Amino acid sequence: MNVVVAMKQIPDLQQIRIKNRQPVFDDVPLTFGSIDKNALEAGVNLKENGLADKVIVLSAGNEDLEDTIKEALAAGADEAFLILGDDLNGAESSVIAQVLTAGIKQIEDVGLILFGEGSGDNYSGQVGSRVAEILGWPQVGYAGAVKVEGNKAVVTRVLEDAEEVVEVSLPAVITVVSGINEARIPSVTQILKAGKKPKEIVEEDELDEINKDALITTVSNLAPESDRKRVVVKSTAELVDKLKSENMI
Amino acid sequence: MAGILVFSDRTNLALEILTAAGVIGGTAKVLVINNDEQAQALSDAGADVYKLSNDDISLADVGQVAEVLKEAAEKLNADIILLSSNRRGKELAGRLAQKIGAGCLTDVSAINVNGDKIECQRNALGGATVATQYINGDKKVIAVSPRSFAPFAGSGGSINEIDITIPASTVKVLEVKPKAADTVDIAAAEKLVIVGQGLNSKDDIPMIEELAAKIGAEVACSKPVATDKKWFSEEHVVGLSGKICKPELAIILGVSGQVQFTVGIRDAKVIAAVNTDENATINTMADYVLTADLHEVVKEMNEILG
Ligand SMILES: Cc1cc2nc3c(=O)[nH]c(=O)nc-3n(C[C@H](O)[C@H](O)[C@H](O)COP(=O)(O)OP(=O)(O)OC[C@H]3O[C@@H](n4cnc5c(N)ncnc54)[C@H](O)[C@@H]3O)c2cc1C
Ligand SMILES: Nc1ncnc2c1ncn2[C@@H]1O[C@H](COP(=O)(O)O)[C@@H](O)[C@H]1O
């Protein structure tokens, strides 16, 4: 069985500047969402434990993905399946879910698709659930542990007030929480070697029947206004005085 | 106005969503699945409850619950489905939206009706921005963030039965392990002392708790301190995937200030940040900035405050 890991290319959020409350993306490097890296690590762990044959990263985005993908191939993925389209970076969840599903249908012997519980930028937690529905597969979200036993997966779902251990038959969709593992950081040599790993690249317009109707309209997307004093204090005593003068302590 | 169907596995969240439904307008009906206590509590609060009792349904099976909601929405003439954006609700939202061909917004923290558009606010870009968005088309699935609306309190509620037959679940629950009860509610706290990965070790927690006790604050933390180090339960996490807090005072110790954290504390009235790095991002959103080792600072504060 092969494990597919869905990873989203996103701008490095720490490097986005805000100008007149608008986010500025110029020169901001692209990377994968951090929880998606945990999903990849979970897939690679299954393979390393002999529970999966290949780990294939599936990603939809613009052409920069051909470069970004090296990060995932260096971190242990065997192959990449990329769907490229100019408008795929930042496309809405309903479109991405259809595009990814079309990709999954072209990959052989998929037993498990791993997602992050939320993408780094949008964090809407929809894409995994939508893909599961299109495929008609069972899903388990918020996995803090995944075990594969024969044609079943035993998954610990981390909820707010409880952990729920469930068993589902494969194939299935699983989304993971960041606490599931600590994702490895690939070395420079691994990154250099990653360029040689197999990549299948499909153009978005080669896929059939993607319904691109916009289901969501964005009216505005602005940074909240903030006016902080930013007073630099020199000592703990001075800090205590300041907080006392504001009647805070 | 379109009919609204409300569902959450948590009674307190269902009450909050009923208030959100009131903002949208129209008549809201609440679906309750296999939970008589919830049905009673919601009808006592004035809601029109539709109670479904069917042992074949398992809340752990998202695909199955989505099917149940689809059928319930059809029977009850609802185009708009409001869910809670807790983990179960968020997971359900995408599946249900896909099933009924709806647009979907999750983690919605505010709703404003503008003509025929239901404008929703949610954090975007990891919390760096707040997006105002609406769903096109009649069918809508909206998952509402916990604590964004006051609990509904009305009168004249009712309990009705609804019957939906469905094949048994294929997701088998082997075990449920309740997490140790944690009564802290950092989202409601007036003051917070928040620690990040700058904290050296678990052994340093008592002095943090001492400081918090001295000033009447709760202790909270950044996400990795809970999920990676496991020094606190996830109930203590401030931020995008934790809690959005609005205290009077936040003393933030050893936190770098990445957007997913700051979104959870930017509405605090006064922020003091202590960090060894004078260029830490957290300093740009603080009222008082102290560049120092947090361990020294906490020790000194405990001494000064006696
Ligand atoms: C989808 C998503 C959701 C997320 N949700 C959340 C969330 O809800 N909440 C959250 O917190 N994070 C969240 N994160 C993680 C977030 O991106 C950061 O990784 C996290 O906030 C960093 O925590 P930190 O500041 O404690 O650690 P670090 O970034 O490691 O920062 C530690 C800081 O401590 C300082 N320091 C070190 N030693 C000392 C000392 N002795 N005294 C004083 N200062 C010292 C350092 O200078 C540094 O600034 C999320 C990430 C993603 C992708
Ligand atoms: N463009 C994409 N390509 C590959 N995977 C994606 C893409 N967008 C979202 N995902 C996956 O879906 C998860 C949830 O995304 P979201 O619904 O945006 O929160 C992410 O953590 C990824 O695993």
Side-chain angles (χ1 to χ4, degrees), chain A residues 141 163-164 217 228 236 246, chain B residues 88 91 136 177 268 288 300:
Chain A
E163 290 192 355
E164 182 177 80
T217 300
R228 292 285 167 186
T236 306
E246 293 217 34
Chain B
R88 273 212 204 288
E91 199 185 347
N136 308 321
K177 301 185 247 184
Y288 299 104
E300 287 168 14

Side-chain angles (χ1 to χ4, degrees), chain B residues 102-163:
Chain B
C104 172
L105 292 170
T106 56
D107 287 341
V108 168
S109 57
I111 294 175
N112 176 32
V113 177
N114 184 358
D116 58 354
K117 302 183 177 83
I118 303 171
E119 293 181 350
C120 299
Q121 281 189 4
R122 62 185 308 274
N123 288 312
L125 291 176
T129 54
V130 178
T132 302
Q133 300 177 303
Y134 61 85
I135 299 172
N136 308 321
D138 292 340
K139 294 208 186 303
K140 309 178 207 298
V141 175
I142 300 173
V144 179
S145 278
R147 296 171 297 274
S148 299
F149 292 87
F152 183 76
S155 59
S158 63
I159 298 184
N160 315 274
E161 308 274 335
I162 183 170
D163 188 27

Side-chain angles (χ1 to χ4, degrees), chain A residues 34, chain B residues 196-197 222-223 238-242 254 256 260 275-276 293-294:
Chain A
S34 80
Chain B
Q197 297 204 94
S222 68
K223 182 168 167 166
V238 172
L240 185 67
S241 56
S256 58
Q260 299 94 347
N275 198 301
T276 41
D293 181 336
L294 77 90

Side-chain angles (χ1 to χ4, degrees), chain B residues 277-298:
Chain B
D277 176 3
E278 65 172 325
N279 296 318
T281 314
I282 193 73
N283 293 347
T284 65
M285 60 168 300
D287 298 291
Y288 299 104
V289 175
L290 178 55
T291 302
D293 181 336
L294 77 90
H295 306 84
E296 298 304 319
V297 172
V298 171

Side-chain angles (χ1 to χ4, degrees), chain A residues 50-197:
Chain A
L51 296 167
D53 299 317
K54 272 191 293 188
V55 177
I56 300 151
V57 173
L58 172 65
S59 188
N62 69 10
E63 61 189 17
D64 295 331
L65 201 46
E66 287 194 60
D67 193 43
T68 312
I69 193 66
K70 284 184 197 150
E71 215 185 318
L73 290 168
D78 299 298
E79 293 175 17
F81 192 105
L82 307 181
I83 302 161
L84 303 186
D86 290 341
D87 52 359
L88 284 179
N89 266 29
E92 62 176 84
S93 314
S94 58
V95 173
I96 293 296
Q98 295 173 65
V99 166
L100 294 180
T101 309
I104 288 157
K105 288 185 175 157
Q106 296 188 30
I107 302 175
E108 269 176 27
D109 193 22
V110 179
L112 206 55
I113 315 172
L114 299 174
F115 291 82
E117 53 124 324
S119 57
D121 54 351
N122 196 28
Y123 196 62
S124 93
Q126 286 187 42
V127 174
S129 289
R130 283 186 179 270
V131 168
E133 174 61 26
I134 303 174
L135 292 167
W137 291 5
Q139 72 181 96
V140 187
Y142 301 96
V146 178
K147 284 191 284 184
V148 171
E149 295 169 2
N151 66 342
K152 293 199 168 80
V154 174
V155 184
T156 304
R157 177 191 257 140
V158 186
L159 297 171
E160 286 85 353
D161 52 2
E163 290 192 355
E164 182 177 80
V165 185
V166 302
E167 184 186 278
V168 282
S169 56
L170 302 179
V173 166
I174 293 176
T175 78
V176 310
V177 294
S178 64
I180 189 171
N181 54 41
E182 204 163 309
R184 68 194 70 185
I185 298 167
S187 67
V188 178
T189 15
Q190 280 168 322
I191 294 176
L192 291 174
K193 281 190 194 149
K196 299 203 182 69
K197 288 193 176 177

